[in-house]
Amino acid sequence: MNATTRTGLAAAPETGMPTDPGPFDCMPQLLAAARVAPVVRIPYLGEHAWVVCDPELVRIALTHPQLAKDVTLVPDWMRKPGLMLGSQPDPAYARTMIMSDGEHHARIRRLHAAVLSPRNTEKWGAAVSVKVDGFLDELEQSTSGESAEVDVVTAYTHRIPLAFIAEMLGLPLAAQQLLRGITDVILYSSDYPARTEAVGALYGAVEGWVRDPAALHDGVITGLLASSDGPDAAVTEGEVIVWTLAMIITGYETTGSLISASLYEALRRPAAERPRSDDDITAWVEETLRVHPPFPHPTWRFATADIDLGGYLIPRGTPVQVNIAAANRKPGEGADCFAADRRGEGHLSFGLGMHYCIGASLARLEVQIALRGFLRRFPRARLSTGAAVEWESEWMIRRMSVLPAVLA
C-alpha cells in the first residue's frame, strides 16, 4: 500500500537503481524497479530523484508542460563535478538543445535542423557507406582461417560513428583516438575526479579547434563558425564549442552502442533468422532501439509545480527521469525480449514531442548501413563460444563493451 501525501496523492515508493557505472548490465535492475510502482524514487547523490516507469505515464511525462528541461532549474546538489549535468555551461555563455526549453530550444533546434537536413543526411549516408566498406576490408584482411575471432566492438562497431562524427565535424584524423579515450572516461568511469579531468580535456580540445580552425576540414564546425562571424552572427563562439561537445557525446557513443546491439541480436541467431532485405534491416534496427536503448533514462526534467502523474505526487523542484527501457516493453516482458517481427513498435528511444532526437534519421541510417554491410560480408559470422559478451552501464547509459565473434 503506497503512502499518501498532504495532497492526497500517492507518494512514490523508494527503490534502487545502479547509479554508478561498472562492468555489468543494468537492464534487469531497471526493469525490476519498474515493477515496484508506475512512479518510483531512488537515492541519488545523497538526495532523491523521481523516475517515471509506466509506459503511458512516460508518454505524458515526455511532453508535460510542467516537467521542464531548462538548465537553470538544476539544483545545486546535482551539479557534481564529473557528471555531464554538472558540466553544463553557464547559460549566459551557451545553452544546449537538450537542456533548454521555449524560445532558447526553438532557436537552437532550428540552427541544428539546417545541419541535419534530409539532403545532408543522404550525403553523409554515402560517407558512412565508404567507411563501413573500408573497415570491413580491414577485418577481412586481418583475419584468416576458420576460427578468425575478433572483438566486433573495437574492430568495427564503434569505429564507424567515431570516424563519421570526426569527418562530419571536420576534425583532423588524429582527433579520433583522443575522442574515443576521453568519452569512454566521461561516460563509463567510476572515478569522478578522472571524469572531471576528462570533461576539461574534451572542452579544451574542442575550444582549441574552434579558436584555431586551421587544422579543420570543411564541416559542421567551420559552418557554425561562419554563422558566428559579423554583426548579424547567428551563433556565438561559445555556442559553437558547447554544441560541438554535445554532438560528439550524443552522435558517437549512442550510435556505436546501437550498432553493437543490432549485431549481437543477429549473431546470436542462426543465419536464416537474420535480416536480409532492406525492409528486414529497417525492422531489425527499430527492434534494437526498442530493446536496447543506449540511454535507458535519457535526460533530466524538473518539476516546476506539484504534479499529479497517474495519482502519484511529483513535488515541485524535484529532478525527474523517464524509464525508457521499461516503457518500451509490454507488461511481463523481460530484458531478453527481442522479436524482429515487432519492428520496434511503440518505442520511445528517441523521445517524444519537441525534444524528439533531431539526429534520429542519421543514427538510424548509420546503424542500417553498418548492420547490412557486416551481415553481407560475413554471412557465416557467429558469437564466440570461447569468450563472453560483456556490458558496462549505470542507470542512464548502457553499452556492450565486448562482442566476441567468429567471422568465418
Side-chain angles (χ1 to χ4, degrees):
M1 207 52 192
N2 292 323
T4 57
T5 67
R6 56 178 173 74
T7 63
L9 299 173
E14 183 173 314
T15 189
M17 289 186 187
T19 56
D20 285 316
F24 57 83
D25 182 4
C26 67
M27 188 60 72
Q29 291 168 275
L30 304 191
L31 300 183
R35 290 192 289 270
V36 172
V39 179
V40 299
R41 60 191 180 98
I42 67 166
Y44 186 62
L45 302 180
E47 300 284 345
H48 282 88
W50 272 246
V51 182
V52 184
C53 302
D54 175 80
E56 290 308 312
L57 295 184
V58 165
R59 288 179 174 274
I60 293 170
L62 286 171
T63 57
H64 200 293
Q66 291 175 315
L67 285 175
K69 294 175 63 63
D70 194 286
V71 68
T72 61
L73 300 173
V74 179
D76 289 341
W77 62 267
M78 293 185 72
R79 299 178 184 271
K80 178 179 178 179
L83 293 178
M84 289 306 295
L85 192 64
S87 306
Q88 290 290 315
D90 187 314
Y93 176 72
R95 291 174 181 259
T96 61
M97 189 187 328
I98 205 168
M99 292 299 296
S100 60
D101 283 317
E103 293 181 3
H104 293 296
H105 178 265
R107 170 181 170 267
I108 299 169
R109 192 174 184 91
R110 184 170 60 250
L111 290 165
H112 280 68
V115 173
L116 296 165
S117 66
R119 181 177 179 180
N120 280 344
T121 297
E122 182 179 349
K123 176 185 70 175
W124 286 329
V128 172
S129 295
V130 170
K131 295 188 184 303
V132 163
D133 286 342
F135 293 139
L136 291 172
D137 288 344
E138 289 182 27
L139 273 177
E140 229 171 14
Q141 293 164 9
S142 65
T143 57
S144 60
E146 294 185 359
S147 59
E149 187 166 309
V150 298
D151 175 6
V152 178
V153 170
T154 55
Y156 184 66
T157 64
H158 273 64
R159 294 181 71 190
I160 297 164
L162 179 58
F164 170 68
I165 196 71
E167 179 176 313
M168 173 184 167
L169 292 172
L171 301 179
L173 187 62
Q176 292 186 32
Q177 197 58 42
L178 172 69
L179 293 182
R180 176 70 195 265
I182 287 177
T183 54
D184 274 4
V185 173
I186 291 172
L187 296 173
Y188 292 102
S189 174
S190 57
D191 182 340
Y192 284 90
R195 289 172 73 158
T196 302
E197 184 178 341
V199 169
L202 181 58
Y203 180 91
V206 172
E207 183 182 43
W209 294 324
V210 168
R211 292 187 173 171
D212 183 13
L216 300 179
H217 311 295
D218 285 342
V220 171
I221 295 177
T222 57
L224 288 173
L225 284 173
S227 299
S228 70
D229 192 25
D232 299 320
V235 300
T236 66
E237 185 181 86
E239 287 175 330
V240 177
I241 294 170
V242 170
W243 296 353
T244 299
L245 288 167
M247 282 186 271
I248 290 170
I249 294 294
T250 59
Y252 153 54
E253 172 58 40
T254 54
T255 305
S257 178
L258 280 171
I259 298 171
S260 298
S262 69
L263 274 173
Y264 164 71
E265 293 292 356
L267 295 176
R268 66 195 292 229
R269 288 169 167 77
E273 297 179 14
R274 298 173 187 175
R276 295 176 180 270
S277 68
D278 287 349
D279 185 61
D280 290 343
I281 292 287
T282 298
W284 198 275
V285 171
E286 292 307 305
E287 183 66 356
T288 303
L289 280 160
R290 184 182 79 86
V291 176
H292 299 289
F295 283 129
H297 292 84
T299 53
W300 289 104
R301 287 162 168 78
F302 304 92
T304 58
D306 285 352
I307 297 171
D308 174 354
L309 200 63
Y312 287 86
L313 172 66
I314 297 182
R316 178 181 179 180
T318 56
V320 179
Q321 274 286 359
V322 288
N323 190 339
I324 295 295
N328 281 353
R329 287 165 165 78
K330 291 185 176 180
E333 281 191 321
D336 186 9
C337 63
F338 188 97
D341 59 0
R342 281 281 302 271
R343 305 179 69 90
E345 179 187 357
H347 79 73
L348 297 169
S349 296
F350 286 128
L352 200 64
M354 66 179 176
H355 281 283
Y356 183 85
C357 176
I358 197 169
S361 295
L362 181 57
R364 283 185 166 108
L365 185 59
E366 286 186 72
V367 182
Q368 289 165 8
I369 292 169
L371 177 63
R372 181 189 301 112
F374 187 95
L375 294 180
R376 288 180 178 175
R377 186 73 68 97
F378 302 110
R380 294 190 296 160
R382 61 194 184 279
L383 290 183
S384 168
T385 56
V389 168
E390 297 178 17
W391 295 88
E392 54 187 347
S393 58
E394 38 120 288
W395 67 311
M396 286 192 282
I397 192 164
R398 172 182 184 257
R399 73 171 176 184
M400 194 169 291
S401 55
V402 178
L403 178 57
V406 177
L407 299 184

